[in-house]
Amino acid sequence: MAASTRAQAISLYKMMLTESKKFPSYNYRTYALRRVRDAFRANRKVEDPKTVERLMEEGHQTLALIQRQVTVGKMFSTQKNVVEG
Amino acid sequence: MLSTGKTVSSRLLRPLSRLPLWLGSDGRAASSLPKELIKKHKLENDELRPLYMDFQATTPMDPRVLDAMLPYQVNYYGNPHSRTHAYGWESESAMETARKQVADLIGADPREIIFTSGATESNNMAIKGVSRFYQTKKRHVITTQTEHKCVLDSCRVLESEGFSVTYLPVQTNGLVDLELLEASIRPDTSLLSVMTINNEIGVKQPIKEIGQICRSKGVFFHTDAAQAVGKIPINVTDWKVDLMSISGHKIYGPKGVGALYVRRRPRVRLEPLQSGGGQERGLRSGTVPTPLAVGLGAACSIAKQELEYDHHRVSMLANRLIQKIMSELPDVIMNGDPEHRYPGCVNLSFAYVEGESLLMALKDVALSSGSACTSASLEPSYVLRAIGADEDLAHSSIRFGIGRFTTEEEVDYTAEKCILQVSRLREMSPLWEMVQEGIDLKSIKWTQH
């Protein structure tokens, strides 16, 4: 993977984690963090430029989705649960 | 204790207006039930929410599903059956995409997917519809004793219409005996219905083998796969399934939507339950709710993508839970076959502890003693009775449901609380004391009453 692509991937990864942390719901938050980490870990060794491009595009779409759903979640947030409280 | 507001059960949100085990045909059986087993209570703002460990009852919607649905709740509100304008076309196109997503998950053709209101409707449609269509020649239906109530109740209705129904017993591991199943098929058997994964004990029936038997005998095969779709790999062609019920809210999709797979080749015909505009190939009249169908489609597409990941994680969490509890507590029995099962449904019996008391003590965890439909009833689960569990063990069972959003922390919390409360309740139990003294409870003659 080209150095610039790698930097872009790392930046996307960090942004996705930052946004995932904003989910008010404990279960959605922990899931988003876990799933993003595991997805990046699973695709760490992907070299094929076309696949990298597709994964990056998917990642950007997921980032936008997380941001929208965090907003929705904040509108209807509720009490904390017993393991986070 | 139940009359005061903030007691043991104060944090538990468990609606109790549920049906009893077997609702009498007059529906009056409900009134004979104890009204408030566990006090309903609305959470105050300063209270903490219980953990959710009841993924067989329903699942939270995946945020990705909601994201797919929202545009159809907001801007794209056209009737998918409107043929004369863009509002209709865009909804129709979304509905057809969703149909393909559902079909792809189970290896079907999109034309074989009928949208319904949920698995209960799908089961009703399949069982009543097929039997009634072929009733002039065939008047026998086979099912098992551990099916969901909507299947059993549909069969009861058929019996009242003059059909004969065989309710196959299951073995002590919860699985049907294939030889008995084959021997039960008669020349006039039209339909056989066996659920893929049981909702209470999580056992996985040998669907592929049953499909083979049905195909060779010329009997239509329906399976209620509400608990299986999206959790285990399914292929209707490999399994030779003719009809399959799917539920939206068991796979992180919306409530109020489901689907019925109806095979086209060899063709399965059924009499529709609902009359009207002839939507869904005339089998299910009524406007398809586009946002819900889109949600079901998205849930199926995500389930396909996440199947392996989810299964791996759910297995890991289930093992963690079972090992923690089993290593700390003696006399815990796991119900259902240990191998042929879906790991996310863990049904444990805690001997000498009454299940409802344990549920009340575990107020910080949303759990159930079995099916949500019967959770208000003091009757032991008919599924547990069907696998031959002793009455006392059937009374002491709890179902732990693990899913996509469950965390290690939640599993550990649940296990610790469970160990603590079971030990505490056993300390108070005279039965437990007698067992510790070496008295065989079975040898005791309890007075008749």
Side-chain angles (χ1 to χ4, degrees):
Chain A
M1 202 194 297
S4 61
T5 326
R6 180 171 295 275
Q8 280 173 13
I10 291 170
S11 153
L12 176 65
Y13 175 61
K14 285 187 175 159
M15 264 166 39
M16 286 175 87
L17 290 185
T18 310
E19 293 304 311
S20 297
K21 278 180 196 151
K22 296 180 184 166
F23 267 115
S25 149
Y26 164 81
N27 291 95
Y28 290 164
R29 183 172 66 245
T30 50
Y31 176 74
L33 287 168
R34 182 167 68 241
R35 196 67 194 89
V36 167
R37 284 196 184 109
D38 288 345
F40 274 83
R41 194 169 298 145
N43 293 319
R44 202 174 34 181
K45 299 227 169 83
V46 176
E47 291 289 342
D48 174 48
K50 282 226 171 91
T51 314
V52 172
E53 195 185 334
R54 181 178 56 82
L55 289 171
M56 287 292 285
E57 176 55 31
E58 282 173 18
H60 280 289
Q61 284 173 13
T62 307
L63 175 64
L65 187 151
I66 294 170
Q67 288 169 327
R68 287 193 296 274
Q69 290 304 309
V70 163
T71 310
V72 172
K74 280 180 178 165
M75 291 174 191
F76 305 99
S77 65
T78 177
Q79 301 95 338
K80 290 189 167 184
N81 76 21
V82 290
V83 292
E84 53 175 340
Chain B
M1 187 172 72
L2 293 178
S3 58
T4 52
K6 288 192 178 184
T7 52
V8 192
S9 52
S10 65
R11 275 192 208 149
L12 206 57
L13 267 173
R14 286 212 317 148
L16 284 161
S17 53
R18 304 260 173 70
L19 294 175
L21 188 61
W22 276 104
L23 188 65
S25 54
D26 58 357
R28 268 180 303 170
S31 60
S32 62
L33 277 172
K35 277 272 163 57
E36 299 267 298
L37 276 177
I38 295 177
K39 180 98 178 149
K40 260 196 280 185
H41 169 67
K42 193 171 179 295
L43 283 185
E44 301 295 334
N45 282 333
D46 57 345
E47 283 182 278
L48 296 171
R49 285 182 79 74
L51 301 178
Y52 192 72
M53 293 287 273
D54 200 7
F55 278 76
Q56 273 70 46
T58 191
T59 54
M61 262 221 284
D62 192 296
R64 289 166 286 191
V65 172
L66 181 61
D67 200 74
M69 286 169 70
L70 279 175
Y72 296 91
Q73 300 277 32
V74 181
N75 288 323
Y76 309 127
Y77 48 79
N79 183 324
H81 312 292
S82 294
R83 288 291 162 84
T84 52
H85 48 69
Y87 286 81
W89 303 330
E90 64 202 10
S91 287
E92 188 195 21
S93 145
M95 174 180 81
E96 293 310 327
T97 305
R99 202 186 299 282
K100 185 168 186 319
Q101 288 169 320
V102 177
D104 283 350
L105 179 60
I106 59 167
D109 184 285
R111 289 171 297 177
E112 299 174 311
I113 302 297
I114 308 293
F115 286 117
T116 66
S117 66
T120 291
E121 188 189 334
S122 301
N123 286 336
N124 270 271
M125 250 175 90
I127 291 165
K128 294 177 187 166
V130 170
S131 313
R132 286 176 186 163
F133 191 91
Y134 296 96
Q135 64 181 328
T136 47
K137 289 190 182 135
K138 297 187 167 186
R139 303 194 51 87
H140 180 230
V141 174
I142 301 173
T143 188
T144 73
Q145 292 174 357
T146 54
E147 293 299 304
H148 191 271
K149 276 199 305 169
C150 61
V151 169
L152 296 173
D153 226 40
S154 295
C155 288
R156 283 288 151 108
V157 170
L158 290 177
E159 279 186 284
S160 72
E161 291 173 11
F163 288 87
S164 85
V165 180
T166 302
Y167 300 92
L168 288 175
V170 294
Q171 305 165 89
T172 48
N173 58 3
L175 299 174
V176 289
D177 180 345
L178 291 176
E179 280 174 25
L180 179 64
L181 180 138
E182 190 163 1
S184 309
I185 296 176
R186 312 195 313 216
D188 69 337
T189 306
S190 60
L191 181 78
L192 193 145
S193 177
V194 176
M195 75 204 308
T196 313
I197 289 177
N198 185 273
N199 56 317
E200 289 196 28
I201 52 176
V203 297
K204 188 163 71 184
Q205 300 290 355
I207 296 300
K208 200 171 172 176
E209 287 77 4
I210 300 174
Q212 185 62 47
I213 294 171
C214 289
R215 186 61 60 85
S216 70
K217 297 261 182 175
V219 174
F220 290 122
F221 178 33
H222 165 253
T223 184
D224 171 7
Q227 299 286 349
V229 169
K231 292 169 189 163
I232 58 166
I234 288 179
N235 189 298
V236 287
T237 311
D238 283 358
W239 285 8
K240 298 189 170 56
V241 165
D242 296 308
L243 302 116
M244 179 181 280
S245 303
I246 300 169
S247 171
H249 74 110
K250 309 282 191 198
I251 56 170
Y252 312 96
K255 294 167 181 59
V257 70
L260 179 65
Y261 159 79
V262 183
R263 180 174 289 283
R264 281 168 70 92
R265 250 177 272 264
R267 192 168 175 198
V268 182
R269 307 188 67 179
L270 50 155
E271 203 181 281
L273 295 180
Q274 214 158 280
S275 320
Q279 288 90 347
E280 300 296 277
R281 286 168 44 206
L283 293 175
R284 208 276 186 180
S285 285
T287 303
V288 171
T290 319
L292 297 181
V294 167
L296 177 63
C300 285
S301 146
I302 294 163
K304 193 177 181 207
Q305 177 197 318
E306 302 287 346
L307 203 143
E308 211 177 309
Y309 181 89
D310 281 353
H311 197 275
H312 176 76
R313 206 177 140 74
V314 164
S315 310
M316 181 271 284
L317 291 174
N319 287 337
R320 188 179 174 118
L321 180 77
I322 296 167
Q323 265 163 20
K324 264 185 195 286
I325 292 179
M326 295 273 198
S327 64
E328 294 280 331
L329 288 173
D331 301 307
V332 180
I333 297 103
M334 188 156 142
N335 295 306
D337 193 273
E339 273 173 44
H340 300 278
R341 62 181 302 107
Y342 167 64
C345 177
V346 180
N347 192 310
L348 300 179
S349 284
F350 299 91
Y352 321 114
V353 171
E354 208 269 310
E356 292 292 333
S357 320
L358 184 54
L359 284 178
M360 284 167 83
L362 290 171
K363 62 181 188 297
D364 285 341
V365 188
L367 286 165
S368 161
S369 54
S371 148
C373 315
T374 52
S375 63
S377 161
L378 271 182
E379 288 260 328
S381 143
Y382 65 92
V383 174
L384 292 178
R385 275 186 301 183
I387 64 170
D390 285 342
E391 187 95 344
D392 51 340
L393 279 180
H395 267 297
S396 62
S397 82
I398 294 216
R399 179 183 68 183
F400 300 86
I402 294 165
R404 183 179 289 163
F405 300 103
T406 311
T407 66
E408 284 88 346
E409 260 180 311
E410 289 177 306
V411 165
D412 293 351
Y413 185 93
T414 305
E416 279 160 29
K417 281 281 156 125
C418 190
I419 293 161
L420 185 81
Q421 296 299 343
V422 169
S423 314
R424 192 181 64 87
L425 288 166
R426 280 181 178 171
E427 288 295 307
M428 300 191 299
S429 157
L431 292 179
W432 176 249
E433 207 172 306
M434 286 156 85
V435 171
Q436 298 307 301
E437 286 164 9
I439 301 168
D440 180 9
L441 294 181
K442 292 217 161 57
S443 68
I444 300 171
K445 280 240 188 298
W446 307 99
T447 47
Q448 294 284 313
H449 53 83

